[in-house]
Amino acid sequence: MVVIGGGQAGAETVLALRAAGYEDPVTLVCAEPELPYRRPPLSKGFLDHSEVSDELPVRARAVYDAQRIGLRLGARVVSIDRPGRLVGLDDGDELSYDWLVLATGAEPRRLPMEGAEASGVHVLRSIHDADALRGALDKAQSVVVVGGGFIGLEVAVSARKRGAAVAVLEMAPRLMGRAVSAELSDYALGFHREMGTQIRLGDSLASIETSGGILCGVTTAAGTALPADVLVVGVGVRVEDSLAAAAGLAVDDGILVDEFLRTRDPRIFAVGDCARFPTRFAPGSVRLESVQNATGQALHVATAIATGNAEAYDEVPWFWSHQGDLRIQMAGLTTGHDRTLLTGAVEAGRFSVLCFREGVLVGVDSVSDVRSHQSARRLVGSHNPVTYAEASAADFDLKTRALARESR
Ligand SMILES: Cc1cc2nc3c(=O)[nH]c(=O)nc-3n(C[C@H](O)[C@H](O)[C@H](O)COP(=O)(O)OP(=O)(O)OC[C@H]3O[C@@H](n4cnc5c(N)ncnc54)[C@H](O)[C@@H]3O)c2cc1C
């Protein structure tokens, strides 16, 4: 068994294989030299100095040793020979496999413009990125963040907490627009402005100003000049599917897999950020970037390989983002929703937005509303989900409904 990629998905795959009783040799190969680690703290606790690097690993090295999991860290797989069932490493070594799992993840997108490589310009994906950004934020006076998505807004909070002047440029008309409802975007806008962050919607980066190779400011598309000693580029990722493509596997912004997370080669699976899979929670296929997706898919594939169980992957997509005191949870996939219902109290900062597509509940966004969120998440996963008509009735109660569904 060979797993390529040692992020959350790869690490959870090898650990789950052993937990499911897989006895044959298992090797995880990862280009990063560190023990597999968790990325979410990199834009939260680690950036704030409240979490140290020792807390980041998914598991201690001793756990892999005890489970007889071979770790090839700091090694990149450069080729897959499918007929020969061999992977080639950049140090010239070769590993044979019966089963291969691709967990190659993604890389942060960089800006294709002059100045993008200047000192002071940061992306955030790896522990090295986070270490460099943390040091820069500790000294920064003016921070510009490009991209009002989760990572950009989490970094903005961290910078504001240090007292820096912070501006966020978001090209779209609202924050986190690809992932959350308009109601949640509006609430987040108020929250970040209240924190003193300058949020510039419908604006983007036109140029980066440098002096002697060092960042000194930016000009926005709207023509505003902003001073900057730190520029954080949080504009999404480029999926790492080139290895799969070179091996003749189908890719399309992600490695294409079926409902069992299997590529068109029945010996090769893909999991985590790199996998594009069909799901009943959205039309077409999706590629998701979340810990729950990486962990759930890893567990699913490991169990399928270890036990021969061939069920479709069917977990409700789930994601969280902590932007200081703004605690967001999202379940389901709400893209293309056409109606919403609000529960809870927006003014108290505790509410959920139920999102419906064609009259059916497809997802929920919540702010500090854990109990309602859990109930709604259960309903989103139900094969007989709630309709808009049901949910808008005066006596509708999420928790009662979720329990009723379970007891049927
Ligand atoms: C800063 C940050 C904050 C986040 N916060 C949250 C959050 O709050 N909540 C949440 O749910 N999710 C969050 N996420 C997303 C979540 O961390 C990712 O979805 C998850 O880490 C994906 O794991 P992965 O293993 O699929 O991919 P990755 O973590 O990208 O791991 C892929 C690994 O494969 C290696 N690799 C690639 N190609 C090769 C090769 N050819 N040979 C060997 N190795 C290779 C890479 O070097 C990398 O180590 C966050 C992500 C980031 C970056």
Side-chain angles (χ1 to χ4, degrees):
M1 173 82 209
V2 174
V3 176
I4 307 177
Q8 192 107 28
E12 301 282 2
T13 302
V14 292
L15 293 161
L17 272 166
R18 287 293 187 237
Y22 188 82
E23 287 294 338
D24 291 338
V26 173
T27 305
L28 179 141
V29 187
C30 187
E32 289 186 84
E34 294 83 14
L35 268 185
Y37 59 90
R38 298 174 297 120
R39 299 193 196 276
L42 301 183
S43 52
K44 308 175 185 71
F46 183 80
L47 210 53
D48 281 350
H49 296 279
S50 60
E51 232 175 306
V52 295
S53 51
D54 291 357
E55 297 172 69
L56 297 182
V58 175
R59 293 287 194 292
R61 180 176 280 276
V63 176
Y64 298 94
D65 293 345
Q67 300 288 329
R68 295 172 293 110
I69 295 164
L71 295 178
R72 297 287 298 260
L73 304 176
R76 178 171 287 278
V77 173
V78 289
S79 64
I80 302 170
D81 167 4
R82 291 203 285 128
R85 288 203 214 141
L86 286 172
V87 296
L89 273 53
D90 56 358
D91 61 6
D93 213 355
E94 283 187 331
L95 301 172
S96 64
Y97 65 85
D98 290 322
W99 300 102
L100 183 64
V101 175
L102 304 173
T104 47
E107 290 287 327
R109 234 184 256 280
R110 288 162 203 271
L111 296 172
M113 61 168 63
E114 213 171 306
E117 303 300 323
S119 165
V121 181
H122 296 258
V123 292
L124 182 50
R125 182 83 190 175
S126 70
I127 188 157
H128 294 287
D129 298 335
D131 203 33
L133 178 59
R134 184 169 68 169
L137 288 180
D138 287 345
K139 294 179 282 194
Q141 312 240 303
S142 309
V143 177
V144 174
V145 177
V146 189
F150 299 113
I151 292 179
L153 293 171
E154 289 173 3
V155 172
V157 167
S158 195
R160 273 305 295 145
K161 280 189 189 161
R162 289 163 163 91
V166 181
V168 175
L169 310 182
E170 170 53 57
M171 209 183 330
R174 60 186 182 88
L175 294 175
M176 302 172 282
R178 280 189 307 137
V180 305
S181 59
E183 288 86 340
L184 199 130
S185 292
D186 285 351
Y187 184 81
L189 179 65
F191 172 88
H192 286 284
R193 285 192 169 151
E194 185 80 8
M195 274 201 87
T197 301
Q198 190 190 139
I199 305 272
R200 302 176 66 92
L201 298 175
D203 204 356
S204 59
L205 198 63
S207 64
I208 299 171
E209 274 74 65
T210 60
S211 168
I214 299 171
L215 170 76
C216 53
V218 303
T219 303
T220 77
T224 306
L226 297 169
D229 36 34
V230 171
L231 173 63
V232 183
V233 180
V235 294
V237 297
R238 188 190 59 76
V239 62
E240 185 38 73
D241 57 9
S242 56
L243 182 68
L249 299 172
V251 304
D252 179 11
D253 180 34
I255 304 166
L256 300 188
V257 291
D258 61 15
E259 64 272 38
F260 308 106
L261 306 175
R262 218 171 28 196
T263 66
R264 69 177 176 204
D265 181 331
R267 293 261 158 198
I268 307 181
F269 293 77
V271 293
D273 281 18
C274 70
R276 175 169 287 280
F277 62 102
T279 167
R280 70 183 165 103
F281 299 104
S285 62
V286 296
R287 197 176 63 69
L288 302 179
E289 296 164 20
S290 77
V291 166
Q292 177 265 344
N293 181 65
T295 307
Q297 294 193 336
L299 182 62
H300 190 85
V301 164
T303 310
I305 292 173
T307 66
N309 175 12
E311 277 176 27
Y313 177 72
D314 194 40
E315 297 285 315
V316 181
W318 184 74
F319 193 89
W320 84 92
S321 173
H322 290 173
Q323 298 166 21
D325 291 337
L326 177 61
R327 303 287 162 123
I328 303 173
Q329 290 181 298
M330 292 141 284
L333 295 173
T334 59
T335 315
H337 70 269
D338 44 32
R339 283 184 113 161
T340 57
L341 277 174
L342 201 73
T343 74
V346 178
E347 56 296 347
R350 185 182 298 277
F351 66 93
S352 292
V353 184
L354 306 180
C355 299
F356 298 82
R357 195 163 48 226
E358 294 169 6
V360 172
L361 181 69
V362 291
V364 57
D365 301 340
S366 303
V367 171
S368 301
D369 195 13
V370 177
R371 287 180 63 185
S372 294
H373 186 82
Q374 282 171 349
S375 299
R377 180 177 166 183
R378 240 176 274 146
L379 290 169
V380 169
S382 159
H383 282 275
N384 189 8
V386 166
T387 64
Y388 182 82
E390 282 176 89
S392 49
D395 59 351
F396 179 76
D397 177 66
L398 266 177
K399 195 173 168 209
T400 315
R401 204 74 181 84
L403 290 174
R405 285 279 183 236
E406 271 183 1
S407 60
R408 271 183 204 179

